[in-house]
Short mmCIF file of all heavy atoms in Angstrom, two decimals:
data_model
loop_
_atom_site.label_atom_id
_atom_site.label_comp_id
_atom_site.label_asym_id
_atom_site.label_seq_id
_atom_site.Cartn_x
_atom_site.Cartn_y
_atom_site.Cartn_z
N MET A 1 132.79 81.16 90.86
CA MET A 1 133.49 82.43 90.87
C MET A 1 133.36 83.00 92.29
O MET A 1 132.29 83.06 92.85
CB MET A 1 132.85 83.38 89.86
CG MET A 1 133.65 84.64 89.65
SD MET A 1 132.94 85.83 88.45
CE MET A 1 132.81 84.90 86.97
N SER A 2 134.47 83.42 92.85
CA SER A 2 134.45 83.97 94.19
C SER A 2 133.84 85.37 94.19
O SER A 2 133.72 86.02 93.16
CB SER A 2 135.86 84.02 94.78
OG SER A 2 136.60 85.05 94.17
N GLU A 3 133.43 85.83 95.37
CA GLU A 3 132.83 87.16 95.48
C GLU A 3 133.80 88.25 95.05
O GLU A 3 133.43 89.21 94.39
CB GLU A 3 132.35 87.40 96.91
CG GLU A 3 131.55 88.67 97.04
CD GLU A 3 130.93 88.83 98.41
OE1 GLU A 3 130.58 87.83 99.04
OE2 GLU A 3 130.81 89.99 98.83
N ASP A 4 135.10 88.10 95.43
CA ASP A 4 136.10 89.10 95.04
C ASP A 4 136.25 89.16 93.53
O ASP A 4 136.33 90.24 92.94
CB ASP A 4 137.46 88.79 95.67
CG ASP A 4 137.51 89.15 97.14
OD1 ASP A 4 136.62 89.91 97.59
OD2 ASP A 4 138.42 88.68 97.83
N THR A 5 136.28 88.01 92.89
CA THR A 5 136.42 87.96 91.43
C THR A 5 135.20 88.57 90.77
O THR A 5 135.31 89.35 89.82
CB THR A 5 136.62 86.52 90.94
OG1 THR A 5 137.76 85.97 91.59
CG2 THR A 5 136.82 86.48 89.45
N SER A 6 134.02 88.25 91.28
CA SER A 6 132.78 88.80 90.74
C SER A 6 132.74 90.31 90.90
O SER A 6 132.35 91.04 89.98
CB SER A 6 131.58 88.15 91.42
OG SER A 6 130.39 88.70 90.93
N THR A 7 133.15 90.80 92.06
CA THR A 7 133.18 92.25 92.31
C THR A 7 134.17 92.92 91.39
O THR A 7 133.87 93.97 90.81
CB THR A 7 133.53 92.53 93.79
OG1 THR A 7 132.54 91.93 94.61
CG2 THR A 7 133.57 94.02 94.06
N ASN A 8 135.35 92.34 91.21
CA ASN A 8 136.35 92.90 90.31
C ASN A 8 135.84 92.94 88.87
O ASN A 8 136.08 93.90 88.15
CB ASN A 8 137.65 92.11 90.38
CG ASN A 8 138.39 92.34 91.67
OD1 ASN A 8 138.18 93.32 92.37
ND2 ASN A 8 139.28 91.42 92.00
N HIS A 9 135.15 91.89 88.48
CA HIS A 9 134.59 91.83 87.13
C HIS A 9 133.55 92.94 86.94
O HIS A 9 133.54 93.64 85.93
CB HIS A 9 133.96 90.45 86.88
CG HIS A 9 133.30 90.33 85.55
ND1 HIS A 9 134.02 90.20 84.38
CD2 HIS A 9 131.99 90.32 85.20
CE1 HIS A 9 133.18 90.13 83.37
NE2 HIS A 9 131.95 90.20 83.84
N GLN A 10 132.67 93.12 87.91
CA GLN A 10 131.65 94.17 87.85
C GLN A 10 132.29 95.55 87.81
O GLN A 10 131.84 96.43 87.07
CB GLN A 10 130.68 94.07 89.03
CG GLN A 10 129.71 92.90 88.92
CD GLN A 10 128.84 93.01 87.71
OE1 GLN A 10 129.03 92.25 86.74
NE2 GLN A 10 127.91 93.91 87.70
N ASP A 11 133.33 95.76 88.61
CA ASP A 11 134.03 97.05 88.61
C ASP A 11 134.66 97.32 87.25
O ASP A 11 134.57 98.43 86.72
CB ASP A 11 135.12 97.08 89.69
CG ASP A 11 134.55 97.13 91.10
OD1 ASP A 11 133.34 97.43 91.25
OD2 ASP A 11 135.33 96.87 92.04
N LEU A 12 135.29 96.31 86.67
CA LEU A 12 135.92 96.45 85.36
C LEU A 12 134.86 96.74 84.29
O LEU A 12 135.05 97.61 83.44
CB LEU A 12 136.70 95.19 85.01
CG LEU A 12 137.45 95.20 83.69
CD1 LEU A 12 138.50 96.32 83.66
CD2 LEU A 12 138.11 93.86 83.47
N LEU A 13 133.75 96.03 84.36
CA LEU A 13 132.67 96.23 83.39
C LEU A 13 132.11 97.65 83.50
O LEU A 13 131.88 98.31 82.48
CB LEU A 13 131.57 95.20 83.62
CG LEU A 13 130.43 95.17 82.62
CD1 LEU A 13 130.94 94.94 81.20
CD2 LEU A 13 129.43 94.10 83.01
N GLU A 14 131.91 98.15 84.70
CA GLU A 14 131.39 99.50 84.88
C GLU A 14 132.39 100.55 84.40
O GLU A 14 132.01 101.55 83.80
CB GLU A 14 131.01 99.76 86.34
CG GLU A 14 130.38 101.12 86.56
CD GLU A 14 129.21 101.43 85.63
OE1 GLU A 14 128.38 100.53 85.35
OE2 GLU A 14 129.12 102.58 85.15
N THR A 15 133.67 100.31 84.62
CA THR A 15 134.70 101.22 84.12
C THR A 15 134.65 101.28 82.59
O THR A 15 134.69 102.36 82.00
CB THR A 15 136.10 100.77 84.59
OG1 THR A 15 136.13 100.81 86.01
CG2 THR A 15 137.19 101.66 84.02
N TRP A 16 134.53 100.13 81.96
CA TRP A 16 134.46 100.06 80.50
C TRP A 16 133.22 100.80 80.00
O TRP A 16 133.30 101.59 79.06
CB TRP A 16 134.44 98.59 80.09
CG TRP A 16 134.41 98.38 78.61
CD1 TRP A 16 135.46 98.42 77.76
CD2 TRP A 16 133.25 98.10 77.82
NE1 TRP A 16 135.03 98.17 76.48
CE2 TRP A 16 133.68 97.98 76.49
CE3 TRP A 16 131.91 97.94 78.11
CZ2 TRP A 16 132.81 97.70 75.46
CZ3 TRP A 16 131.03 97.66 77.06
CH2 TRP A 16 131.49 97.54 75.76
N ARG A 17 132.08 100.56 80.62
CA ARG A 17 130.85 101.23 80.21
C ARG A 17 130.95 102.74 80.37
O ARG A 17 130.47 103.51 79.54
CB ARG A 17 129.66 100.70 81.01
CG ARG A 17 129.25 99.31 80.61
CD ARG A 17 128.13 98.80 81.47
NE ARG A 17 127.68 97.50 81.02
CZ ARG A 17 127.06 96.63 81.79
NH1 ARG A 17 126.79 96.92 83.05
NH2 ARG A 17 126.68 95.46 81.30
N SER A 18 131.57 103.17 81.45
CA SER A 18 131.75 104.60 81.70
C SER A 18 132.60 105.25 80.60
O SER A 18 132.30 106.34 80.13
CB SER A 18 132.40 104.81 83.07
OG SER A 18 132.71 106.15 83.28
N GLN A 19 133.66 104.57 80.20
CA GLN A 19 134.52 105.10 79.15
C GLN A 19 133.78 105.17 77.81
O GLN A 19 133.96 106.12 77.04
CB GLN A 19 135.78 104.26 79.03
CG GLN A 19 136.69 104.43 80.23
CD GLN A 19 137.85 103.45 80.23
OE1 GLN A 19 137.87 102.48 79.49
NE2 GLN A 19 138.82 103.72 81.09
N ILE A 20 132.94 104.20 77.52
CA ILE A 20 132.15 104.22 76.28
C ILE A 20 131.15 105.37 76.32
O ILE A 20 130.98 106.09 75.33
CB ILE A 20 131.42 102.88 76.07
CG1 ILE A 20 132.41 101.74 75.87
CG2 ILE A 20 130.43 102.97 74.92
CD1 ILE A 20 133.30 101.88 74.66
N ARG A 21 130.50 105.58 77.46
CA ARG A 21 129.56 106.71 77.58
C ARG A 21 130.28 108.04 77.37
O ARG A 21 129.77 108.94 76.70
CB ARG A 21 128.88 106.70 78.95
CG ARG A 21 127.78 105.66 79.08
CD ARG A 21 126.96 105.86 80.35
NE ARG A 21 127.73 105.75 81.56
CZ ARG A 21 127.93 104.63 82.25
NH1 ARG A 21 127.40 103.50 81.82
NH2 ARG A 21 128.63 104.64 83.36
N ARG A 22 131.48 108.17 77.92
CA ARG A 22 132.25 109.41 77.75
C ARG A 22 132.62 109.61 76.28
O ARG A 22 132.54 110.72 75.75
CB ARG A 22 133.49 109.37 78.63
CG ARG A 22 134.25 110.68 78.64
CD ARG A 22 135.36 110.68 79.63
NE ARG A 22 135.72 109.33 79.99
CZ ARG A 22 136.83 108.97 80.61
NH1 ARG A 22 137.68 109.88 80.95
NH2 ARG A 22 137.09 107.72 80.89
N ALA A 23 133.02 108.55 75.60
CA ALA A 23 133.36 108.66 74.17
C ALA A 23 132.12 109.05 73.36
O ALA A 23 132.20 109.86 72.44
CB ALA A 23 133.94 107.35 73.66
N ASP A 24 130.97 108.48 73.71
CA ASP A 24 129.73 108.83 73.01
C ASP A 24 129.39 110.30 73.16
O ASP A 24 128.94 110.94 72.23
CB ASP A 24 128.56 108.01 73.56
CG ASP A 24 128.54 106.59 73.06
OD1 ASP A 24 129.27 106.28 72.10
OD2 ASP A 24 127.77 105.79 73.62
N ILE A 25 129.58 110.83 74.35
CA ILE A 25 129.22 112.23 74.63
C ILE A 25 130.08 113.19 73.83
O ILE A 25 129.61 114.20 73.33
CB ILE A 25 129.36 112.53 76.14
CG1 ILE A 25 128.26 111.80 76.90
CG2 ILE A 25 129.31 114.02 76.41
CD1 ILE A 25 128.44 111.82 78.40
N ASN A 26 131.36 112.88 73.65
CA ASN A 26 132.29 113.83 73.06
C ASN A 26 132.49 113.69 71.56
O ASN A 26 132.98 114.61 70.94
CB ASN A 26 133.66 113.70 73.75
CG ASN A 26 133.58 114.11 75.20
OD1 ASN A 26 132.95 115.09 75.55
ND2 ASN A 26 134.21 113.33 76.05
N ASN A 27 132.11 112.58 70.99
CA ASN A 27 132.42 112.35 69.58
C ASN A 27 131.30 111.60 68.87
O ASN A 27 131.31 110.38 68.80
CB ASN A 27 133.72 111.53 69.45
CG ASN A 27 134.89 112.24 70.07
OD1 ASN A 27 135.27 113.30 69.63
ND2 ASN A 27 135.45 111.66 71.13
N VAL A 28 130.35 112.34 68.33
CA VAL A 28 129.23 111.74 67.64
C VAL A 28 129.26 112.20 66.18
O VAL A 28 129.17 113.39 65.90
CB VAL A 28 127.89 112.14 68.29
CG1 VAL A 28 126.72 111.51 67.55
CG2 VAL A 28 127.87 111.77 69.77
N PHE A 29 129.42 111.24 65.27
CA PHE A 29 129.38 111.56 63.84
C PHE A 29 127.91 111.68 63.45
O PHE A 29 127.10 110.80 63.73
CB PHE A 29 130.05 110.46 63.02
CG PHE A 29 129.91 110.67 61.54
CD1 PHE A 29 130.70 111.59 60.89
CD2 PHE A 29 128.97 109.95 60.81
CE1 PHE A 29 130.56 111.80 59.53
CE2 PHE A 29 128.83 110.16 59.45
CZ PHE A 29 129.62 111.08 58.81
N CYS A 30 127.57 112.80 62.80
CA CYS A 30 126.18 113.07 62.43
C CYS A 30 126.06 113.23 60.91
O CYS A 30 126.93 113.82 60.27
CB CYS A 30 125.69 114.35 63.10
SG CYS A 30 125.85 114.34 64.89
N HIS A 31 124.97 112.70 60.38
CA HIS A 31 124.68 112.81 58.95
C HIS A 31 123.21 113.18 58.79
O HIS A 31 122.33 112.48 59.28
CB HIS A 31 124.96 111.48 58.25
CG HIS A 31 124.51 111.46 56.83
ND1 HIS A 31 123.37 110.82 56.42
CD2 HIS A 31 125.04 112.04 55.73
CE1 HIS A 31 123.21 110.98 55.11
NE2 HIS A 31 124.21 111.71 54.68
N CYS A 32 122.97 114.30 58.11
CA CYS A 32 121.60 114.75 57.88
C CYS A 32 121.02 113.99 56.69
O CYS A 32 121.60 114.00 55.59
CB CYS A 32 121.56 116.25 57.61
SG CYS A 32 119.88 116.85 57.26
N ARG A 33 119.89 113.35 56.89
CA ARG A 33 119.26 112.59 55.81
C ARG A 33 118.54 113.49 54.80
O ARG A 33 118.21 113.04 53.71
CB ARG A 33 118.29 111.58 56.40
CG ARG A 33 119.00 110.50 57.16
CD ARG A 33 118.06 109.49 57.74
NE ARG A 33 118.81 108.45 58.42
CZ ARG A 33 118.34 107.72 59.39
NH1 ARG A 33 117.10 107.91 59.82
NH2 ARG A 33 119.08 106.80 59.96
N ASP A 34 118.31 114.75 55.16
CA ASP A 34 117.63 115.66 54.24
C ASP A 34 118.61 116.40 53.33
O ASP A 34 118.43 116.44 52.12
CB ASP A 34 116.78 116.68 55.02
CG ASP A 34 115.50 116.07 55.54
OD1 ASP A 34 115.03 115.07 54.97
OD2 ASP A 34 114.97 116.58 56.54
N CYS A 35 119.65 117.01 53.90
CA CYS A 35 120.56 117.83 53.07
C CYS A 35 121.95 117.21 52.90
O CYS A 35 122.81 117.81 52.26
CB CYS A 35 120.68 119.24 53.65
SG CYS A 35 121.71 119.36 55.14
N GLU A 36 122.17 116.03 53.48
CA GLU A 36 123.44 115.30 53.36
C GLU A 36 124.61 115.94 54.10
O GLU A 36 125.76 115.55 53.92
CB GLU A 36 123.83 115.08 51.89
CG GLU A 36 122.78 114.33 51.07
CD GLU A 36 122.52 112.92 51.54
OE1 GLU A 36 123.46 112.23 51.98
OE2 GLU A 36 121.35 112.49 51.49
N ALA A 37 124.36 116.94 54.94
CA ALA A 37 125.44 117.55 55.73
C ALA A 37 126.01 116.52 56.70
O ALA A 37 125.30 115.62 57.17
CB ALA A 37 124.92 118.76 56.51
N GLU A 38 127.30 116.63 56.99
CA GLU A 38 127.98 115.74 57.94
C GLU A 38 128.82 116.58 58.89
O GLU A 38 129.43 117.56 58.48
CB GLU A 38 128.87 114.75 57.21
CG GLU A 38 128.10 113.80 56.32
CD GLU A 38 128.99 112.84 55.56
OE1 GLU A 38 130.20 113.12 55.40
OE2 GLU A 38 128.48 111.80 55.13
N TRP A 39 128.85 116.19 60.16
CA TRP A 39 129.63 116.89 61.17
C TRP A 39 129.85 115.98 62.36
O TRP A 39 129.20 114.96 62.50
CB TRP A 39 128.93 118.18 61.59
CG TRP A 39 127.65 117.99 62.36
CD1 TRP A 39 127.50 118.02 63.71
CD2 TRP A 39 126.36 117.74 61.82
NE1 TRP A 39 126.19 117.80 64.06
CE2 TRP A 39 125.46 117.63 62.90
CE3 TRP A 39 125.86 117.60 60.53
CZ2 TRP A 39 124.11 117.37 62.74
CZ3 TRP A 39 124.50 117.35 60.37
CH2 TRP A 39 123.65 117.24 61.46
N VAL A 40 130.81 116.35 63.19
CA VAL A 40 131.04 115.66 64.45
C VAL A 40 130.59 116.60 65.56
O VAL A 40 130.99 117.75 65.61
CB VAL A 40 132.53 115.28 64.63
CG1 VAL A 40 132.77 114.69 66.02
CG2 VAL A 40 132.95 114.29 63.56
N GLY A 41 129.71 116.10 66.41
CA GLY A 41 129.18 116.90 67.49
C GLY A 41 129.27 116.17 68.81
O GLY A 41 129.92 115.13 68.91
N SER A 42 128.60 116.71 69.79
CA SER A 42 128.63 116.08 71.11
C SER A 42 127.23 115.90 71.68
O SER A 42 127.08 115.65 72.86
CB SER A 42 129.49 116.91 72.06
OG SER A 42 128.96 118.20 72.19
N ALA A 43 126.22 116.00 70.85
CA ALA A 43 124.84 115.87 71.34
C ALA A 43 124.08 114.87 70.47
O ALA A 43 124.30 114.78 69.27
CB ALA A 43 124.14 117.21 71.32
N TRP A 44 123.18 114.17 71.11
CA TRP A 44 122.36 113.18 70.41
C TRP A 44 120.99 113.75 70.03
O TRP A 44 120.17 113.04 69.44
CB TRP A 44 122.19 111.94 71.28
CG TRP A 44 123.44 111.14 71.35
CD1 TRP A 44 124.46 111.31 72.22
CD2 TRP A 44 123.81 110.07 70.49
NE1 TRP A 44 125.45 110.40 71.96
CE2 TRP A 44 125.07 109.62 70.90
CE3 TRP A 44 123.20 109.44 69.41
CZ2 TRP A 44 125.73 108.58 70.27
CZ3 TRP A 44 123.86 108.39 68.80
CH2 TRP A 44 125.11 107.97 69.23
N ASP A 45 120.74 115.02 70.33
CA ASP A 45 119.40 115.56 70.07
C ASP A 45 119.40 116.89 69.34
O ASP A 45 118.39 117.58 69.31
CB ASP A 45 118.63 115.68 71.38
CG ASP A 45 119.33 116.57 72.40
OD1 ASP A 45 120.46 117.03 72.15
OD2 ASP A 45 118.75 116.78 73.47
N GLU A 46 120.51 117.27 68.74
CA GLU A 46 120.57 118.53 67.99
C GLU A 46 119.97 118.37 66.60
O GLU A 46 120.05 117.30 66.00
CB GLU A 46 122.02 118.99 67.83
CG GLU A 46 122.67 119.45 69.11
CD GLU A 46 124.11 119.88 68.87
OE1 GLU A 46 124.76 119.37 67.95
OE2 GLU A 46 124.57 120.72 69.64
N ASN A 47 119.44 119.45 66.08
CA ASN A 47 118.98 119.48 64.70
C ASN A 47 120.17 119.77 63.79
O ASN A 47 121.22 120.22 64.23
CB ASN A 47 117.93 120.58 64.51
CG ASN A 47 116.66 120.28 65.26
OD1 ASN A 47 116.47 119.20 65.80
ND2 ASN A 47 115.78 121.26 65.31
N CYS A 48 119.99 119.54 62.50
CA CYS A 48 121.04 119.80 61.52
C CYS A 48 121.37 121.30 61.53
O CYS A 48 120.48 122.14 61.40
CB CYS A 48 120.57 119.39 60.14
SG CYS A 48 121.74 119.80 58.82
N PRO A 49 122.65 121.65 61.63
CA PRO A 49 123.03 123.07 61.61
C PRO A 49 122.86 123.71 60.24
O PRO A 49 122.76 124.94 60.13
CB PRO A 49 124.49 123.06 62.05
CG PRO A 49 124.99 121.70 61.74
CD PRO A 49 123.81 120.78 61.85
N SER A 50 122.79 122.91 59.18
CA SER A 50 122.65 123.47 57.83
C SER A 50 121.20 123.73 57.44
O SER A 50 120.89 124.78 56.87
CB SER A 50 123.26 122.51 56.80
OG SER A 50 124.65 122.41 57.00
N CYS A 51 120.31 122.78 57.75
CA CYS A 51 118.93 122.94 57.29
C CYS A 51 117.89 122.86 58.41
O CYS A 51 116.71 123.07 58.15
CB CYS A 51 118.61 121.91 56.21
SG CYS A 51 118.44 120.21 56.83
N GLY A 52 118.31 122.52 59.61
CA GLY A 52 117.38 122.45 60.74
C GLY A 52 116.62 121.14 60.86
O GLY A 52 115.78 120.98 61.74
N SER A 53 116.90 120.20 59.99
CA SER A 53 116.18 118.92 59.99
C SER A 53 116.42 118.15 61.30
O SER A 53 117.46 118.27 61.93
CB SER A 53 116.66 118.06 58.82
OG SER A 53 116.08 116.77 58.89
N THR A 54 115.43 117.33 61.64
CA THR A 54 115.58 116.42 62.78
C THR A 54 115.88 115.00 62.32
O THR A 54 116.03 114.11 63.14
CB THR A 54 114.30 116.42 63.64
OG1 THR A 54 113.20 116.00 62.81
CG2 THR A 54 114.02 117.78 64.24
N LYS A 55 115.98 114.81 61.02
CA LYS A 55 116.27 113.48 60.46
C LYS A 55 117.78 113.27 60.41
O LYS A 55 118.41 113.35 59.36
CB LYS A 55 115.66 113.35 59.07
CG LYS A 55 114.15 113.42 59.06
CD LYS A 55 113.62 113.32 57.65
CE LYS A 55 112.13 113.53 57.63
NZ LYS A 55 111.63 113.59 56.26
N ILE A 56 118.37 113.00 61.58
CA ILE A 56 119.82 112.88 61.71
C ILE A 56 120.20 111.45 62.05
O ILE A 56 119.64 110.85 62.97
CB ILE A 56 120.33 113.82 62.83
CG1 ILE A 56 119.81 115.24 62.66
CG2 ILE A 56 121.86 113.78 62.92
CD1 ILE A 56 120.20 115.91 61.38
N GLU A 57 121.14 110.92 61.31
CA GLU A 57 121.73 109.62 61.64
C GLU A 57 122.95 109.90 62.51
O GLU A 57 123.79 110.74 62.14
CB GLU A 57 122.14 108.90 60.36
CG GLU A 57 122.81 107.58 60.61
CD GLU A 57 123.24 106.90 59.32
OE1 GLU A 57 123.30 107.56 58.27
OE2 GLU A 57 123.51 105.70 59.39
N ARG A 58 123.07 109.23 63.64
CA ARG A 58 124.18 109.47 64.57
C ARG A 58 124.90 108.16 64.85
O ARG A 58 124.27 107.15 65.11
CB ARG A 58 123.66 110.07 65.86
CG ARG A 58 123.10 111.46 65.68
CD ARG A 58 122.46 111.99 66.95
NE ARG A 58 122.04 113.37 66.81
CZ ARG A 58 120.87 113.75 66.34
NH1 ARG A 58 119.98 112.85 65.98
NH2 ARG A 58 120.56 115.03 66.23
N ILE A 59 126.22 108.24 64.79
CA ILE A 59 127.07 107.08 65.06
C ILE A 59 128.19 107.51 65.98
O ILE A 59 128.86 108.52 65.72
CB ILE A 59 127.67 106.50 63.76
CG1 ILE A 59 126.57 106.15 62.75
CG2 ILE A 59 128.54 105.29 64.05
CD1 ILE A 59 127.07 105.83 61.37
N SER A 60 128.42 106.77 67.03
CA SER A 60 129.54 107.08 67.93
C SER A 60 130.85 106.92 67.19
O SER A 60 131.09 105.90 66.54
CB SER A 60 129.52 106.14 69.14
OG SER A 60 128.34 106.28 69.86
N CYS A 61 131.72 107.93 67.27
CA CYS A 61 132.98 107.90 66.53
C CYS A 61 133.90 106.78 66.96
O CYS A 61 134.72 106.31 66.18
CB CYS A 61 133.68 109.24 66.64
SG CYS A 61 132.89 110.57 65.71
N TRP A 62 133.79 106.33 68.21
CA TRP A 62 134.67 105.25 68.67
C TRP A 62 134.44 103.97 67.88
O TRP A 62 135.27 103.08 67.89
CB TRP A 62 134.53 105.02 70.17
CG TRP A 62 133.17 104.53 70.61
CD1 TRP A 62 132.15 105.29 71.08
CD2 TRP A 62 132.70 103.18 70.61
NE1 TRP A 62 131.07 104.51 71.38
CE2 TRP A 62 131.37 103.20 71.09
CE3 TRP A 62 133.27 101.96 70.25
CZ2 TRP A 62 130.62 102.05 71.22
CZ3 TRP A 62 132.49 100.81 70.38
CH2 TRP A 62 131.19 100.86 70.87
N GLN A 63 133.35 103.89 67.16
CA GLN A 63 133.04 102.68 66.38
C GLN A 63 133.80 102.63 65.06
O GLN A 63 133.82 101.60 64.42
CB GLN A 63 131.54 102.60 66.11
CG GLN A 63 130.74 102.44 67.38
CD GLN A 63 129.25 102.36 67.11
OE1 GLN A 63 128.81 102.06 66.01
NE2 GLN A 63 128.46 102.65 68.13
N PHE A 64 134.43 103.73 64.66
CA PHE A 64 135.19 103.77 63.42
C PHE A 64 136.63 103.31 63.68
O PHE A 64 137.23 103.69 64.67
CB PHE A 64 135.22 105.19 62.83
CG PHE A 64 133.90 105.67 62.36
CD1 PHE A 64 133.13 106.52 63.15
CD2 PHE A 64 133.38 105.26 61.14
CE1 PHE A 64 131.89 106.97 62.72
CE2 PHE A 64 132.15 105.72 60.70
CZ PHE A 64 131.40 106.57 61.49
N PRO A 65 137.23 102.55 62.76
CA PRO A 65 138.63 102.16 62.94
C PRO A 65 139.56 103.36 62.80
O PRO A 65 139.21 104.35 62.14
CB PRO A 65 138.86 101.15 61.81
CG PRO A 65 137.79 101.41 60.80
CD PRO A 65 136.62 102.01 61.55
N ASP A 66 140.73 103.27 63.40
CA ASP A 66 141.71 104.37 63.35
C ASP A 66 142.44 104.47 62.02
O ASP A 66 143.00 105.50 61.71
CB ASP A 66 142.73 104.22 64.48
CG ASP A 66 142.11 104.52 65.83
OD1 ASP A 66 141.10 105.23 65.88
OD2 ASP A 66 142.66 104.03 66.82
N ASP A 67 142.49 103.42 61.25
CA ASP A 67 143.26 103.48 59.99
C ASP A 67 142.42 103.60 58.78
O ASP A 67 141.29 103.60 58.69
CB ASP A 67 144.18 102.27 59.85
CG ASP A 67 143.45 100.96 60.02
OD1 ASP A 67 142.59 100.61 59.19
OD2 ASP A 67 143.73 100.28 61.01
#
């Protein structure tokens, strides 16, 4: 693999990773394991807004299919 091809590959990979990080920041599906509340938020460290629990399951929304 030539240096130009390797550099282009690294640039493309970093662009892809950046877009995934941005999607993670803006769209996080949250499920409280204590009270079963569900919401979409933008933080990975918030407590449940319904009961204050820290037992939250978080999944990036980009992982869900569109249909």
Side-chain angles (χ1 to χ4, degrees):
M1 190 181 302
S2 73
E3 188 173 327
D4 284 344
T5 303
S6 178
T7 300
N8 288 340
H9 177 74
Q10 286 299 107
D11 290 345
L12 182 61
L13 186 58
E14 184 52 40
T15 298
W16 182 82
R17 287 177 176 156
S18 173
Q19 291 172 346
I20 296 299
R21 283 191 299 269
R22 187 173 20 165
D24 283 347
I25 290 169
N26 295 318
N27 300 297
V28 180
F29 174 78
C30 304
H31 172 256
C32 178
R33 292 180 178 154
D34 284 336
C35 75
E36 303 297 324
E38 296 179 338
W39 68 97
V40 174
S42 60
W44 287 87
D45 58 355
E46 290 179 332
N47 293 351
C48 175
S50 295
C51 72
S53 174
T54 59
K55 296 178 186 174
I56 309 300
E57 177 181 17
R58 293 174 174 88
I59 304 169
S60 299
C61 288
W62 64 264
Q63 295 180 20
F64 293 99
D66 289 337
D67 52 67

